[in-house]
Structures are given as structure tokens and as C-alpha cells.
Amino acid sequence: MPATAPRLVLHFDVNETILLCDPAGGDTQEMCLNKIIAKNAYVQREDAGGRRWRDGSCAAPGNPAGAPKPPLHFGFEWPEGCAPFYEAYRKEGVKFTEEGASGRCYRDVYEALEAAVRLTPGKEYPPALTNRATGSHHYLLPAFFHTVAALTERGADFAVVIRTFGTDCPEVVEAINEFAAGRHPDHPQPYPHMHVTPENTWTGRYGDGGAFTLSGAGGVIADEAVAVAKLEAASVSVCQDHYQHWADNGYRPGAGKPMWITESHVEDVLHIFFDDNIKNLADDSIVAVRRRAGPDAPFEAVCGVGTLELQGKHLHRVPTPAAVLDKDWFLQRIDDSLRALAPNATA
């Protein structure tokens, strides 16, 4: 690898980014598949003449499976005059492609996604790598493990940080540790650097001054700079983020899951955040970008407009159907970030 390649710090959201079920939240795989399609199917904002897809075709409930429809839209920018179906009709998202629903015409997409996350017949998968509710599907997306395996094979210098507002950390850790031990039948060689230890499993919380702290078996780290250095140094970490703080602050980006940029060191350490809930909205998104000029300066929150400008560089909204159907999707976005921020480097 080129000497100029930065250390990649790859933050992966869990629910509906690399995980298609949420037992604690009551979402089955079927519900999650419907939701990720609804988040990428766009409708016209003005529906005085009835619901319409972004191309003007009918989006009324009861559309048959074969009704005309535009392709899903995976771009970050919303088509002019349109919004994701899930934003407009959130309560209908979990049944989006079911009989009688507006998105029934996308049932073929649902079926393709469901097939893509099935376990390979004839292979023995440990329970931790299996969606235990169905018994026949992957627990974490194949693209996640493929990304880790490919980066390892390339000799990339990288760290993985799992980020979640949920309570699924123990199950995610168990799945990753099975992979690390070489017990994933699709990746049978060991990846010992990916073993998650208790000392690298954290609870993240915002303090009174807005700084982010970590606590767990590895102790309490109240100095944000030290906390960031800890996440950057470990090969893999897991962090349960501070949902209540985000909710109490109106779901503004500056109060969400933090990600850090040290301007003077971007070509040395490059943070990249993958999350399906990153939105093209300055006042409603999930990643709180915190920036400092150099190692001796304090981190400060980036405004919502400034956060939008980092899409495709430090941030990647995940159109989850794309990552389900293309195992190289995360790798391609990592390469996009490197081209944008460290053009002399490859991973």
C-alpha cells in the first residue's frame, strides 16, 4: 500500500444499515425489508391529485404488483419536489410491499432483497450469524463481512466502530466474534484483529458541555480527545450511542452519533460513517460531525449545513437495498471518500 494511505476509521450503524431485524424494537426482517424499500421510493410532495411516485405514476394504495413504478432512488439529493415515501407516510412503511399497500408494485424488489440475505444452502452457519427468527437468513449483511475481509486482504490500515442507539450490542459482538474466529462459512479463515473484547465495548454519552465520553469495562474516558484516540487505535470497537440526547435536542445532526475530523490529520486518519438514516436535511439527521483544526484544539460541532457538505466524503447515507444487492457497495464508497479526501491514497 502507498505510504500516504490514511488509517480508515469506519463507523457502521446497525439497524437497517448492516442488520435487517430489530427484535428489541419489534421489527421483523419482513418489516425491515419493507422499510428500506420505502426509504428509497420517492413520492411527489403535492398529492392533491392523489399519491404519485416521483415519475408521476400512480402511488395509490391497492396498486397491483405489476403496476408501473420508477426505479428506487439511491442518490443523496432528493428528486425535485419529492420526498422518500417513508418520510411522507411513515406508519405505512413496515407493510410497504404487502397486498393493498402503495408499494405493492415494488414486491419484486422485496423478493430480490429477501433472496440476497438467505443463507447459502449446504453451509453450516453458527446461530450467532443467523437471523434466529427465520433460521434461514444472515444476521448481519454479507456486504459488511465482505468489506472487512476485502480490506484485510488488501492490507489496508483500518478500524471498525459499530454504532447503535439500540440494545443489540451483545448479539452484534457475538456475530463479529464468530467471524473473527473463522467460523463464518463464507469467510472460513480467522480474522483475529476483528475480535471484540469487553474493553472495547462502550457506552457513549454527551456531557453537559457537549463533549462526548465513553464508559465501559475499559474504564471511563471523560476527555473527548482521548476517547477518539481510543476508537482510532482499536481494530474494532462497539459503541451504544446516546439516543435520548438526540431526541431531547429535536433529532438535530449536532446531537446525534458523533464522528470526528481533525483537519490537520485527514490524510493520516480518515473517519467515514455509514448510516441509512443520514438525511438530506440540515435540521434532521443522525450523525453529529465534530471538528477540530488540530490535536491541541477542542472538538466543536459542525452545523447542519456543514454536515450536508460532508456527504460522499466523511458521510455516506446508506441506501440499504443497494448494500444488500451489491456486496462491494461499502468498498466503493470507501474508495469515493479516499478519492475526495486523500487522492494520493488507496485502500
Side-chain angles (χ1 to χ4, degrees), residues 238-271:
V238 175
C239 180
Q240 183 191 45
D241 284 284
H242 198 174
Y243 175 81
Q244 196 58 50
H245 180 80
W246 187 48
D248 289 345
N249 284 274
Y251 305 103
R252 293 196 308 273
K257 303 172 185 176
M259 187 209 68
W260 302 271
I261 299 172
T262 301
E263 294 286 3
S264 62
H265 284 59
V266 166
E267 292 198 3
D268 298 319
V269 180
L270 176 57
H271 287 253

PDB file of all heavy atoms in Angstrom, residues 238-271:
ATOM      1  N   VAL A 238     -17.227  -1.286  19.713  1.00  0.00           N
ATOM      2  CA  VAL A 238     -18.686  -1.220  19.646  1.00  0.00           C
ATOM      3  C   VAL A 238     -19.140  -0.132  20.603  1.00  0.00           C
ATOM      4  O   VAL A 238     -18.676  -0.072  21.753  1.00  0.00           O
ATOM      5  CB  VAL A 238     -19.329  -2.571  20.018  1.00  0.00           C
ATOM      6  CG1 VAL A 238     -20.845  -2.456  20.068  1.00  0.00           C
ATOM      7  CG2 VAL A 238     -18.907  -3.646  19.029  1.00  0.00           C
ATOM      8  N   CYS A 239     -20.038   0.741  20.134  1.00  0.00           N
ATOM      9  CA  CYS A 239     -20.483   1.852  20.972  1.00  0.00           C
ATOM     10  C   CYS A 239     -22.005   1.986  20.906  1.00  0.00           C
ATOM     11  O   CYS A 239     -22.575   2.127  19.827  1.00  0.00           O
ATOM     12  CB  CYS A 239     -19.824   3.157  20.510  1.00  0.00           C
ATOM     13  SG  CYS A 239     -20.309   4.608  21.479  1.00  0.00           S
ATOM     14  N   GLN A 240     -22.619   1.943  22.095  1.00  0.00           N
ATOM     15  CA  GLN A 240     -24.047   2.267  22.177  1.00  0.00           C
ATOM     16  C   GLN A 240     -24.168   3.768  22.391  1.00  0.00           C
ATOM     17  O   GLN A 240     -23.707   4.310  23.399  1.00  0.00           O
ATOM     18  CB  GLN A 240     -24.734   1.529  23.326  1.00  0.00           C
ATOM     19  CG  GLN A 240     -26.234   1.805  23.371  1.00  0.00           C
ATOM     20  CD  GLN A 240     -26.892   1.303  24.641  1.00  0.00           C
ATOM     21  OE1 GLN A 240     -26.366   1.510  25.729  1.00  0.00           O
ATOM     22  NE2 GLN A 240     -28.022   0.639  24.506  1.00  0.00           N
ATOM     23  N   ASP A 241     -24.759   4.439  21.426  1.00  0.00           N
ATOM     24  CA  ASP A 241     -24.804   5.897  21.442  1.00  0.00           C
ATOM     25  C   ASP A 241     -25.972   6.432  22.265  1.00  0.00           C
ATOM     26  O   ASP A 241     -26.817   5.685  22.757  1.00  0.00           O
ATOM     27  CB  ASP A 241     -24.852   6.413  20.009  1.00  0.00           C
ATOM     28  CG  ASP A 241     -23.501   6.345  19.314  1.00  0.00           C
ATOM     29  OD1 ASP A 241     -22.648   7.190  19.619  1.00  0.00           O
ATOM     30  OD2 ASP A 241     -23.295   5.439  18.478  1.00  0.00           O
ATOM     31  N   HIS A 242     -26.026   7.763  22.360  1.00  0.00           N
ATOM     32  CA  HIS A 242     -26.890   8.462  23.316  1.00  0.00           C
ATOM     33  C   HIS A 242     -28.187   8.905  22.640  1.00  0.00           C
ATOM     34  O   HIS A 242     -28.343  10.076  22.271  1.00  0.00           O
ATOM     35  CB  HIS A 242     -26.112   9.666  23.876  1.00  0.00           C
ATOM     36  CG  HIS A 242     -26.671  10.219  25.128  1.00  0.00           C
ATOM     37  ND1 HIS A 242     -26.052  11.227  25.847  1.00  0.00           N
ATOM     38  CD2 HIS A 242     -27.801   9.919  25.827  1.00  0.00           C
ATOM     39  CE1 HIS A 242     -26.762  11.522  26.915  1.00  0.00           C
ATOM     40  NE2 HIS A 242     -27.836  10.755  26.922  1.00  0.00           N
ATOM     41  N   TYR A 243     -29.117   7.975  22.489  1.00  0.00           N
ATOM     42  CA  TYR A 243     -30.363   8.278  21.785  1.00  0.00           C
ATOM     43  C   TYR A 243     -31.146   9.399  22.469  1.00  0.00           C
ATOM     44  O   TYR A 243     -31.683  10.296  21.808  1.00  0.00           O
ATOM     45  CB  TYR A 243     -31.246   7.035  21.679  1.00  0.00           C
ATOM     46  CG  TYR A 243     -32.596   7.352  21.062  1.00  0.00           C
ATOM     47  CD1 TYR A 243     -32.732   7.447  19.678  1.00  0.00           C
ATOM     48  CD2 TYR A 243     -33.713   7.598  21.854  1.00  0.00           C
ATOM     49  CE1 TYR A 243     -33.955   7.779  19.095  1.00  0.00           C
ATOM     50  CE2 TYR A 243     -34.934   7.927  21.288  1.00  0.00           C
ATOM     51  CZ  TYR A 243     -35.053   8.013  19.912  1.00  0.00           C
ATOM     52  OH  TYR A 243     -36.252   8.357  19.346  1.00  0.00           O
ATOM     53  N   GLN A 244     -31.256   9.357  23.785  1.00  0.00           N
ATOM     54  CA  GLN A 244     -32.091  10.325  24.484  1.00  0.00           C
ATOM     55  C   GLN A 244     -31.602  11.755  24.261  1.00  0.00           C
ATOM     56  O   GLN A 244     -32.391  12.684  24.129  1.00  0.00           O
ATOM     57  CB  GLN A 244     -32.141  10.018  25.979  1.00  0.00           C
ATOM     58  CG  GLN A 244     -33.281  10.731  26.707  1.00  0.00           C
ATOM     59  CD  GLN A 244     -34.653  10.399  26.123  1.00  0.00           C
ATOM     60  OE1 GLN A 244     -34.996   9.240  25.935  1.00  0.00           O
ATOM     61  NE2 GLN A 244     -35.425  11.438  25.794  1.00  0.00           N
ATOM     62  N   HIS A 245     -30.284  11.910  24.186  1.00  0.00           N
ATOM     63  CA  HIS A 245     -29.727  13.237  23.925  1.00  0.00           C
ATOM     64  C   HIS A 245     -30.154  13.726  22.541  1.00  0.00           C
ATOM     65  O   HIS A 245     -30.504  14.902  22.370  1.00  0.00           O
ATOM     66  CB  HIS A 245     -28.201  13.178  24.020  1.00  0.00           C
ATOM     67  CG  HIS A 245     -27.523  14.485  23.781  1.00  0.00           C
ATOM     68  ND1 HIS A 245     -27.420  15.466  24.738  1.00  0.00           N
ATOM     69  CD2 HIS A 245     -26.905  14.998  22.672  1.00  0.00           C
ATOM     70  CE1 HIS A 245     -26.771  16.511  24.251  1.00  0.00           C
ATOM     71  NE2 HIS A 245     -26.451  16.249  22.989  1.00  0.00           N
ATOM     72  N   TRP A 246     -30.112  12.832  21.567  1.00  0.00           N
ATOM     73  CA  TRP A 246     -30.533  13.180  20.211  1.00  0.00           C
ATOM     74  C   TRP A 246     -32.013  13.557  20.191  1.00  0.00           C
ATOM     75  O   TRP A 246     -32.407  14.579  19.622  1.00  0.00           O
ATOM     76  CB  TRP A 246     -30.255  11.998  19.284  1.00  0.00           C
ATOM     77  CG  TRP A 246     -30.477  12.221  17.829  1.00  0.00           C
ATOM     78  CD1 TRP A 246     -30.044  13.270  17.072  1.00  0.00           C
ATOM     79  CD2 TRP A 246     -31.174  11.350  16.927  1.00  0.00           C
ATOM     80  NE1 TRP A 246     -30.412  13.104  15.761  1.00  0.00           N
ATOM     81  CE2 TRP A 246     -31.099  11.930  15.641  1.00  0.00           C
ATOM     82  CE3 TRP A 246     -31.823  10.126  17.072  1.00  0.00           C
ATOM     83  CZ2 TRP A 246     -31.676  11.337  14.515  1.00  0.00           C
ATOM     84  CZ3 TRP A 246     -32.386   9.533  15.953  1.00  0.00           C
ATOM     85  CH2 TRP A 246     -32.313  10.139  14.700  1.00  0.00           C
ATOM     86  N   ALA A 247     -32.845  12.737  20.841  1.00  0.00           N
ATOM     87  CA  ALA A 247     -34.285  13.008  20.871  1.00  0.00           C
ATOM     88  C   ALA A 247     -34.586  14.303  21.608  1.00  0.00           C
ATOM     89  O   ALA A 247     -35.415  15.113  21.162  1.00  0.00           O
ATOM     90  CB  ALA A 247     -35.022  11.842  21.525  1.00  0.00           C
ATOM     91  N   ASP A 248     -33.925  14.523  22.740  1.00  0.00           N
ATOM     92  CA  ASP A 248     -34.169  15.735  23.532  1.00  0.00           C
ATOM     93  C   ASP A 248     -33.780  16.999  22.790  1.00  0.00           C
ATOM     94  O   ASP A 248     -34.254  18.095  23.114  1.00  0.00           O
ATOM     95  CB  ASP A 248     -33.394  15.668  24.854  1.00  0.00           C
ATOM     96  CG  ASP A 248     -33.970  14.637  25.828  1.00  0.00           C
ATOM     97  OD1 ASP A 248     -35.109  14.183  25.603  1.00  0.00           O
ATOM     98  OD2 ASP A 248     -33.267  14.290  26.797  1.00  0.00           O
ATOM     99  N   ASN A 249     -32.913  16.854  21.792  1.00  0.00           N
ATOM    100  CA  ASN A 249     -32.462  18.001  21.011  1.00  0.00           C
ATOM    101  C   ASN A 249     -33.100  18.049  19.623  1.00  0.00           C
ATOM    102  O   ASN A 249     -32.528  18.610  18.687  1.00  0.00           O
ATOM    103  CB  ASN A 249     -30.946  17.985  20.897  1.00  0.00           C
ATOM    104  CG  ASN A 249     -30.258  18.441  22.178  1.00  0.00           C
ATOM    105  OD1 ASN A 249     -30.051  19.624  22.400  1.00  0.00           O
ATOM    106  ND2 ASN A 249     -29.937  17.484  23.045  1.00  0.00           N
ATOM    107  N   GLY A 250     -34.268  17.450  19.516  1.00  0.00           N
ATOM    108  CA  GLY A 250     -35.051  17.574  18.292  1.00  0.00           C
ATOM    109  C   GLY A 250     -34.476  16.860  17.097  1.00  0.00           C
ATOM    110  O   GLY A 250     -34.748  17.240  15.953  1.00  0.00           O
ATOM    111  N   TYR A 251     -33.676  15.795  17.339  1.00  0.00           N
ATOM    112  CA  TYR A 251     -33.098  14.983  16.275  1.00  0.00           C
ATOM    113  C   TYR A 251     -32.196  15.799  15.338  1.00  0.00           C
ATOM    114  O   TYR A 251     -32.024  15.451  14.178  1.00  0.00           O
ATOM    115  CB  TYR A 251     -34.202  14.268  15.478  1.00  0.00           C
ATOM    116  CG  TYR A 251     -35.109  13.444  16.358  1.00  0.00           C
ATOM    117  CD1 TYR A 251     -36.379  13.895  16.699  1.00  0.00           C
ATOM    118  CD2 TYR A 251     -34.670  12.237  16.889  1.00  0.00           C
ATOM    119  CE1 TYR A 251     -37.207  13.154  17.540  1.00  0.00           C
ATOM    120  CE2 TYR A 251     -35.489  11.482  17.730  1.00  0.00           C
ATOM    121  CZ  TYR A 251     -36.753  11.943  18.045  1.00  0.00           C
ATOM    122  OH  TYR A 251     -37.556  11.214  18.878  1.00  0.00           O
ATOM    123  N   ARG A 252     -31.632  16.864  15.869  1.00  0.00           N
ATOM    124  CA  ARG A 252     -30.710  17.663  15.069  1.00  0.00           C
ATOM    125  C   ARG A 252     -29.396  16.903  14.869  1.00  0.00           C
ATOM    126  O   ARG A 252     -28.953  16.170  15.757  1.00  0.00           O
ATOM    127  CB  ARG A 252     -30.440  19.006  15.738  1.00  0.00           C
ATOM    128  CG  ARG A 252     -31.649  19.928  15.797  1.00  0.00           C
ATOM    129  CD  ARG A 252     -31.234  21.369  16.107  1.00  0.00           C
ATOM    130  NE  ARG A 252     -30.398  21.443  17.288  1.00  0.00           N
ATOM    131  CZ  ARG A 252     -30.860  21.545  18.523  1.00  0.00           C
ATOM    132  NH1 ARG A 252     -32.168  21.569  18.734  1.00  0.00           N
ATOM    133  NH2 ARG A 252     -30.033  21.633  19.542  1.00  0.00           N
ATOM    134  N   PRO A 253     -28.749  17.099  13.731  1.00  0.00           N
ATOM    135  CA  PRO A 253     -27.494  16.383  13.473  1.00  0.00           C
ATOM    136  C   PRO A 253     -26.444  16.593  14.556  1.00  0.00           C
ATOM    137  O   PRO A 253     -25.717  15.659  14.918  1.00  0.00           O
ATOM    138  CB  PRO A 253     -27.033  16.972  12.131  1.00  0.00           C
ATOM    139  CG  PRO A 253     -28.274  17.444  11.476  1.00  0.00           C
ATOM    140  CD  PRO A 253     -29.177  17.910  12.580  1.00  0.00           C
ATOM    141  N   GLY A 254     -26.360  17.806  15.103  1.00  0.00           N
ATOM    142  CA  GLY A 254     -25.332  18.099  16.092  1.00  0.00           C
ATOM    143  C   GLY A 254     -25.466  17.340  17.395  1.00  0.00           C
ATOM    144  O   GLY A 254     -24.548  17.350  18.221  1.00  0.00           O
ATOM    145  N   ALA A 255     -26.601  16.657  17.597  1.00  0.00           N
ATOM    146  CA  ALA A 255     -26.820  15.912  18.835  1.00  0.00           C
ATOM    147  C   ALA A 255     -26.844  14.403  18.609  1.00  0.00           C
ATOM    148  O   ALA A 255     -27.095  13.639  19.536  1.00  0.00           O
ATOM    149  CB  ALA A 255     -28.139  16.350  19.482  1.00  0.00           C
ATOM    150  N   GLY A 256     -26.565  13.968  17.392  1.00  0.00           N
ATOM    151  CA  GLY A 256     -26.651  12.551  17.069  1.00  0.00           C
ATOM    152  C   GLY A 256     -25.389  11.782  17.405  1.00  0.00           C
ATOM    153  O   GLY A 256     -24.650  12.109  18.341  1.00  0.00           O
ATOM    154  N   LYS A 257     -25.122  10.739  16.636  1.00  0.00           N
ATOM    155  CA  LYS A 257     -23.937   9.901  16.858  1.00  0.00           C
ATOM    156  C   LYS A 257     -22.700  10.679  16.399  1.00  0.00           C
ATOM    157  O   LYS A 257     -22.589  11.037  15.227  1.00  0.00           O
ATOM    158  CB  LYS A 257     -24.048   8.600  16.066  1.00  0.00           C
ATOM    159  CG  LYS A 257     -25.284   7.777  16.372  1.00  0.00           C
ATOM    160  CD  LYS A 257     -25.396   6.615  15.380  1.00  0.00           C
ATOM    161  CE  LYS A 257     -26.691   5.841  15.576  1.00  0.00           C
ATOM    162  NZ  LYS A 257     -26.852   4.776  14.552  1.00  0.00           N
ATOM    163  N   PRO A 258     -21.752  10.932  17.287  1.00  0.00           N
ATOM    164  CA  PRO A 258     -20.621  11.769  16.875  1.00  0.00           C
ATOM    165  C   PRO A 258     -19.620  11.043  15.984  1.00  0.00           C
ATOM    166  O   PRO A 258     -19.400   9.841  16.106  1.00  0.00           O
ATOM    167  CB  PRO A 258     -19.982  12.161  18.211  1.00  0.00           C
ATOM    168  CG  PRO A 258     -20.342  11.053  19.141  1.00  0.00           C
ATOM    169  CD  PRO A 258     -21.706  10.586  18.713  1.00  0.00           C
ATOM    170  N   MET A 259     -19.045  11.807  15.073  1.00  0.00           N
ATOM    171  CA  MET A 259     -17.925  11.369  14.251  1.00  0.00           C
ATOM    172  C   MET A 259     -16.940  12.529  14.196  1.00  0.00           C
ATOM    173  O   MET A 259     -17.355  13.680  14.142  1.00  0.00           O
ATOM    174  CB  MET A 259     -18.378  11.001  12.852  1.00  0.00           C
ATOM    175  CG  MET A 259     -17.268  10.377  12.010  1.00  0.00           C
ATOM    176  SD  MET A 259     -17.469  10.703  10.252  1.00  0.00           S
ATOM    177  CE  MET A 259     -17.163  12.462  10.214  1.00  0.00           C
ATOM    178  N   TRP A 260     -15.657  12.236  14.213  1.00  0.00           N
ATOM    179  CA  TRP A 260     -14.668  13.268  14.464  1.00  0.00           C
ATOM    180  C   TRP A 260     -13.742  13.499  13.271  1.00  0.00           C
ATOM    181  O   TRP A 260     -13.320  12.555  12.599  1.00  0.00           O
ATOM    182  CB  TRP A 260     -13.836  12.875  15.688  1.00  0.00           C
ATOM    183  CG  TRP A 260     -14.682  12.684  16.898  1.00  0.00           C
ATOM    184  CD1 TRP A 260     -15.046  13.629  17.820  1.00  0.00           C
ATOM    185  CD2 TRP A 260     -15.312  11.470  17.334  1.00  0.00           C
ATOM    186  NE1 TRP A 260     -15.842  13.089  18.794  1.00  0.00           N
ATOM    187  CE2 TRP A 260     -16.029  11.769  18.522  1.00  0.00           C
ATOM    188  CE3 TRP A 260     -15.340  10.166  16.842  1.00  0.00           C
ATOM    189  CZ2 TRP A 260     -16.747  10.802  19.219  1.00  0.00           C
ATOM    190  CZ3 TRP A 260     -16.062   9.207  17.524  1.00  0.00           C
ATOM    191  CH2 TRP A 260     -16.758   9.520  18.709  1.00  0.00           C
ATOM    192  N   ILE A 261     -13.427  14.776  13.047  1.00  0.00           N
ATOM    193  CA  ILE A 261     -12.493  15.170  11.999  1.00  0.00           C
ATOM    194  C   ILE A 261     -11.419  16.059  12.621  1.00  0.00           C
ATOM    195  O   ILE A 261     -11.744  17.074  13.261  1.00  0.00           O
ATOM    196  CB  ILE A 261     -13.199  15.948  10.877  1.00  0.00           C
ATOM    197  CG1 ILE A 261     -14.288  15.094  10.216  1.00  0.00           C
ATOM    198  CG2 ILE A 261     -12.194  16.425   9.835  1.00  0.00           C
ATOM    199  CD1 ILE A 261     -15.149  15.859   9.221  1.00  0.00           C
ATOM    200  N   THR A 262     -10.180  15.681  12.454  1.00  0.00           N
ATOM    201  CA  THR A 262      -9.056  16.541  12.808  1.00  0.00           C
ATOM    202  C   THR A 262      -8.465  17.036  11.497  1.00  0.00           C
ATOM    203  O   THR A 262      -7.843  16.279  10.756  1.00  0.00           O
ATOM    204  CB  THR A 262      -8.003  15.771  13.635  1.00  0.00           C
ATOM    205  OG1 THR A 262      -8.621  15.273  14.831  1.00  0.00           O
ATOM    206  CG2 THR A 262      -6.832  16.686  14.014  1.00  0.00           C
ATOM    207  N   GLU A 263      -8.718  18.314  11.189  1.00  0.00           N
ATOM    208  CA  GLU A 263      -8.409  18.849   9.867  1.00  0.00           C
ATOM    209  C   GLU A 263      -6.944  18.642   9.477  1.00  0.00           C
ATOM    210  O   GLU A 263      -6.639  18.325   8.324  1.00  0.00           O
ATOM    211  CB  GLU A 263      -8.742  20.347   9.820  1.00  0.00           C
ATOM    212  CG  GLU A 263     -10.222  20.657   9.963  1.00  0.00           C
ATOM    213  CD  GLU A 263     -11.021  20.328   8.709  1.00  0.00           C
ATOM    214  OE1 GLU A 263     -10.438  19.803   7.740  1.00  0.00           O
ATOM    215  OE2 GLU A 263     -12.236  20.583   8.705  1.00  0.00           O
ATOM    216  N   SER A 264      -6.042  18.796  10.428  1.00  0.00           N
ATOM    217  CA  SER A 264      -4.625  18.703  10.097  1.00  0.00           C
ATOM    218  C   SER A 264      -4.169  17.272   9.855  1.00  0.00           C
ATOM    219  O   SER A 264      -3.046  17.053   9.385  1.00  0.00           O
ATOM    220  CB  SER A 264      -3.793  19.324  11.223  1.00  0.00           C
ATOM    221  OG  SER A 264      -3.982  18.604  12.437  1.00  0.00           O
ATOM    222  N   HIS A 265      -5.033  16.292  10.173  1.00  0.00           N
ATOM    223  CA  HIS A 265      -4.616  14.893  10.103  1.00  0.00           C
ATOM    224  C   HIS A 265      -5.517  14.026   9.223  1.00  0.00           C
ATOM    225  O   HIS A 265      -5.499  12.805   9.324  1.00  0.00           O
ATOM    226  CB  HIS A 265      -4.588  14.285  11.518  1.00  0.00           C
ATOM    227  CG  HIS A 265      -3.402  14.716  12.330  1.00  0.00           C
ATOM    228  ND1 HIS A 265      -3.157  16.030  12.610  1.00  0.00           N
ATOM    229  CD2 HIS A 265      -2.406  14.004  12.916  1.00  0.00           C
ATOM    230  CE1 HIS A 265      -2.061  16.127  13.352  1.00  0.00           C
ATOM    231  NE2 HIS A 265      -1.578  14.911  13.538  1.00  0.00           N
ATOM    232  N   VAL A 266      -6.308  14.653   8.323  1.00  0.00           N
ATOM    233  CA  VAL A 266      -7.238  13.878   7.500  1.00  0.00           C
ATOM    234  C   VAL A 266      -6.499  12.873   6.618  1.00  0.00           C
ATOM    235  O   VAL A 266      -7.001  11.784   6.342  1.00  0.00           O
ATOM    236  CB  VAL A 266      -8.120  14.820   6.648  1.00  0.00           C
ATOM    237  CG1 VAL A 266      -8.847  14.049   5.558  1.00  0.00           C
ATOM    238  CG2 VAL A 266      -9.138  15.530   7.536  1.00  0.00           C
ATOM    239  N   GLU A 267      -5.302  13.215   6.176  1.00  0.00           N
ATOM    240  CA  GLU A 267      -4.564  12.276   5.338  1.00  0.00           C
ATOM    241  C   GLU A 267      -3.817  11.236   6.163  1.00  0.00           C
ATOM    242  O   GLU A 267      -3.175  10.344   5.609  1.00  0.00           O
ATOM    243  CB  GLU A 267      -3.604  13.030   4.417  1.00  0.00           C
ATOM    244  CG  GLU A 267      -4.352  13.861   3.373  1.00  0.00           C
ATOM    245  CD  GLU A 267      -3.487  14.256   2.199  1.00  0.00           C
ATOM    246  OE1 GLU A 267      -2.313  13.850   2.159  1.00  0.00           O
ATOM    247  OE2 GLU A 267      -4.002  14.966   1.311  1.00  0.00           O
ATOM    248  N   ASP A 268      -3.928  11.333   7.504  1.00  0.00           N
ATOM    249  CA  ASP A 268      -3.345  10.320   8.390  1.00  0.00           C
ATOM    250  C   ASP A 268      -4.423   9.399   8.968  1.00  0.00           C
ATOM    251  O   ASP A 268      -4.237   8.184   9.063  1.00  0.00           O
ATOM    252  CB  ASP A 268      -2.578  10.980   9.540  1.00  0.00           C
ATOM    253  CG  ASP A 268      -1.414  11.821   9.055  1.00  0.00           C
ATOM    254  OD1 ASP A 268      -0.720  11.377   8.132  1.00  0.00           O
ATOM    255  OD2 ASP A 268      -1.220  12.925   9.585  1.00  0.00           O
ATOM    256  N   VAL A 269      -5.540   9.984   9.371  1.00  0.00           N
ATOM    257  CA  VAL A 269      -6.660   9.229   9.946  1.00  0.00           C
ATOM    258  C   VAL A 269      -7.948   9.758   9.319  1.00  0.00           C
ATOM    259  O   VAL A 269      -8.262  10.942   9.448  1.00  0.00           O
ATOM    260  CB  VAL A 269      -6.726   9.372  11.479  1.00  0.00           C
ATOM    261  CG1 VAL A 269      -7.907   8.576  12.032  1.00  0.00           C
ATOM    262  CG2 VAL A 269      -5.424   8.926  12.132  1.00  0.00           C
ATOM    263  N   LEU A 270      -8.660   8.880   8.656  1.00  0.00           N
ATOM    264  CA  LEU A 270      -9.865   9.274   7.922  1.00  0.00           C
ATOM    265  C   LEU A 270     -11.086   8.548   8.484  1.00  0.00           C
ATOM    266  O   LEU A 270     -11.206   7.333   8.373  1.00  0.00           O
ATOM    267  CB  LEU A 270      -9.699   8.953   6.432  1.00  0.00           C
ATOM    268  CG  LEU A 270     -10.899   9.197   5.514  1.00  0.00           C
ATOM    269  CD1 LEU A 270     -11.362  10.642   5.597  1.00  0.00           C
ATOM    270  CD2 LEU A 270     -10.551   8.822   4.081  1.00  0.00           C
ATOM    271  N   HIS A 271     -11.980   9.317   9.115  1.00  0.00           N
ATOM    272  CA  HIS A 271     -13.231   8.762   9.635  1.00  0.00           C
ATOM    273  C   HIS A 271     -14.289   8.781   8.540  1.00  0.00           C
ATOM    274  O   HIS A 271     -14.483   9.795   7.863  1.00  0.00           O
ATOM    275  CB  HIS A 271     -13.729   9.583  10.828  1.00  0.00           C
ATOM    276  CG  HIS A 271     -12.949   9.401  12.087  1.00  0.00           C
ATOM    277  ND1 HIS A 271     -13.434   8.701  13.166  1.00  0.00           N
ATOM    278  CD2 HIS A 271     -11.708   9.811  12.436  1.00  0.00           C
ATOM    279  CE1 HIS A 271     -12.533   8.708  14.141  1.00  0.00           C
ATOM    280  NE2 HIS A 271     -11.471   9.380  13.712  1.00  0.00           N
TER     281      HIS A 271
END
